[in-house]
Amino acid sequence: MKKKLSEMSLAQLSKRQSTLKGVIMGLFGAWVLMMLTFIYLKMKPGFAIQFAIPFICAWPVFSAYNAIKEELKMRNEKIDA
């Protein structure tokens, strides 16, 4: 079962953030390869949909990454105060 972000330790949050950052970079790399392939194949019909699919799939990852980033920021503000 997943823990809430507020229940996770700083180390767990940092590890999860770095994992999500790696996933985002991997998705971006796959997107670049896909775009280069489509350009090489002279942009067949349906290019717009194929362009958007990786972003649609990556949306939950971006949301989770931003939530972790906000939680870490909030905790750091509490520590500094």
Side-chain angles (χ1 to χ4, degrees), residues 5-18:
L5 293 179
S6 59
E7 297 173 353
M8 297 174 81
S9 69
L10 285 175
Q12 289 172 323
L13 284 171
S14 294
K15 182 178 179 184
R16 188 145 182 211
Q17 183 184 28
S18 65

Side-chain angles (χ1 to χ4, degrees), residues 4 11 19 24 28 30 34 45 47 50-53 58-61:
K4 292 182 181 178
T19 301
I24 290 170
F28 181 74
M34 195 165 56
F47 179 72
Q50 295 165 347
F51 178 80
I53 287 173
W59 189 259
V61 176

